[in-house]
Amino acid sequence: MALRIVFMGTPEFAVPSLDALVQAGYEIVGVITAPDKLGGRGGHQILESAIKKYALGRNLNLLQPTNLKSPEFIEALQQLDADLQVVVAFRMLPEVVWQMPPLGTMNLHGSLLPAYRGAAPINWAIINGEAKTGVTTFLLQHAIDTGDMLLQKSLDIGPGETAGELHDRMMTLGAETVLESVRGIENHSLAPQPQNAALASHAPKISHDTCRIDFNQSALQVHNFIRGLSPFPTAWTILDGAQLNVFRSRVSTGSHSRHPAEIIDDRQTLEIACRDGIVSLLEIQIQGKRRMSAKDFLNGYRIKLKALGLPA
């Protein structure tokens, strides 16, 4: 008898995983996603999640609970009589939800667990200069991202790759891993393996304040920080009193005798002094303007102060 699966997810990252299960013929008895929210121009447009749009297009049974502990939602979930729940980029589940199906609740995480447990594994892997990362499927338990692992697949991180580019590659790899994991659960070929807590590292949620660039670091650290936050939530600094978002950079050759954050060259690229080298800002966005190359920006903007702002 085919597995009855409830799928839980919200953003675009989750769509290929759900689609892989649908294309493989699994019975998706319910899709759980976030409630609609207001946004867009003026804040009055109703925004639907990527998973909701996919589910509606496939005529899948859709639930959008505001409270995952509400008796109404718990009863609706029980009525779906799922054998397995699959979670990809959703919010934290209460125990009454994740322990409900007889085969458990499987989650996809964007790292090689136990490395980078937490909300932002893709970002932190790049920020920390990792050369390799991957995805892991595991069974949920009480502590976040600590459950027994089912399957891992790794991939290399390019030296100039941004978080957005890595996200898109991991989205595809994640879908393959989810499908393979569900098949392994179905045919009992996967034996869950406990994580080694001694090897754990963490990837906490990133806030706007923590995205500010610190040019007191090395040029390579600054470069990794910029690409690890590109295109979202975006590394930033201060230029002439305005916020300057930075999307792309490169480590430049050569040395300097300047203080960190001083502008060395502002003709074709923005070359900035770091603690032990130079980083060139290649793609930027000054507050109130569109995103553009540094060259185009410098063609129409005369920099007043010859240094960028440092964090206090």
Side-chain angles (χ1 to χ4, degrees):
M1 186 171 65
L3 287 184
R4 295 173 58 84
I5 295 175
V6 163
F7 186 93
M8 302 183 182
T10 296
E12 182 186 2
F13 187 84
V15 172
S17 293
L18 176 54
D19 184 58
L21 296 173
V22 169
Q23 297 297 333
Y26 283 103
E27 186 177 1
I28 308 300
V29 295
V31 174
I32 318 299
T33 194
D36 300 342
K37 59 183 180 181
L38 293 177
R41 188 177 297 275
H44 301 300
Q45 182 181 351
I46 296 176
L47 302 179
E48 299 176 334
S49 75
I51 281 292
K52 177 179 179 178
K53 293 175 182 176
Y54 177 89
L56 292 177
R58 292 282 179 168
N59 294 316
L60 299 175
N61 182 27
L62 182 70
L63 286 79
Q64 294 180 273
T66 56
N67 181 358
L68 297 178
K69 294 182 179 179
S70 72
E72 294 81 10
F73 173 65
I74 299 302
E75 182 179 357
L77 198 58
Q78 289 171 333
Q79 292 297 319
L80 296 177
D81 193 28
D83 301 302
L84 174 70
Q85 291 175 160
V86 176
V87 180
V88 180
F90 196 56
R91 57 192 194 266
M92 189 172 179
L93 300 179
E95 181 178 358
V96 66
V97 171
W98 59 255
Q99 71 170 1
M100 189 180 295
L103 295 179
T105 298
M106 185 190 82
N107 187 73
L108 174 71
H109 188 71
S111 78
L112 297 174
L113 290 173
Y116 296 107
R117 294 172 175 171
I122 298 175
N123 303 99
W124 283 109
I126 295 180
I127 290 170
N128 290 337
E130 301 286 3
K132 185 181 291 291
T133 187
V135 295
T136 306
T137 52
F138 67 98
L139 296 173
L140 289 184
Q141 63 180 33
H142 287 282
I144 189 167
D145 297 337
T146 61
D148 290 350
M149 299 180 295
L150 295 167
L151 193 61
Q152 287 190 324
K153 291 183 181 290
S154 64
L155 77 172
D156 294 334
I157 302 174
E161 190 168 23
T162 66
E165 291 162 346
L166 180 59
H167 166 282
D168 291 350
R169 292 202 296 129
M170 289 180 72
M171 184 166 60
T172 301
L173 182 66
E176 297 170 1
T177 309
V178 163
L179 180 58
E180 189 174 337
S181 299
V182 169
R183 285 173 171 162
I185 291 172
E186 184 179 35
N187 61 28
H188 308 288
S189 63
L190 286 179
Q193 300 295 319
Q195 297 185 38
N196 184 350
L199 300 178
S201 59
H202 299 279
K205 186 176 180 179
I206 296 170
S207 68
H208 177 264
D209 288 344
T210 58
C211 291
R212 187 166 185 176
I213 303 168
D214 183 1
F215 293 98
N216 283 304
Q217 296 182 311
S218 71
L220 181 58
Q221 286 175 310
V222 170
H223 172 63
N224 289 341
F225 187 77
I226 289 167
R227 66 192 184 94
L229 297 172
S230 178
F232 182 83
T234 317
W236 61 275
T237 185
I238 297 295
L239 174 66
D240 293 340
Q243 181 171 310
L244 181 76
N245 294 336
V246 185
F247 299 95
R248 289 194 183 272
S249 61
R250 69 164 176 258
V251 177
S252 296
T253 58
S255 59
H256 66 84
S257 57
R258 309 288 187 89
H259 294 294
E262 283 193 40
I263 299 172
I264 297 173
D265 189 339
D266 62 358
R267 290 168 295 180
Q268 298 295 314
T269 63
L270 274 172
E271 289 192 350
I272 313 298
C274 300
R275 185 188 69 212
D276 70 349
I278 301 168
V279 67
S280 293
L281 310 185
L282 303 180
E283 193 171 353
I284 57 180
Q285 181 183 30
I286 193 73
Q287 191 172 342
K289 302 293 183 179
R290 64 178 178 86
R291 177 173 170 176
M292 65 185 76
S293 69
K295 181 179 180 180
D296 287 345
F297 172 75
L298 293 169
N299 283 338
Y301 186 95
R302 183 175 295 278
I303 294 174
K304 303 176 184 68
L305 303 176
K306 297 302 180 181
L308 301 178
L310 285 171

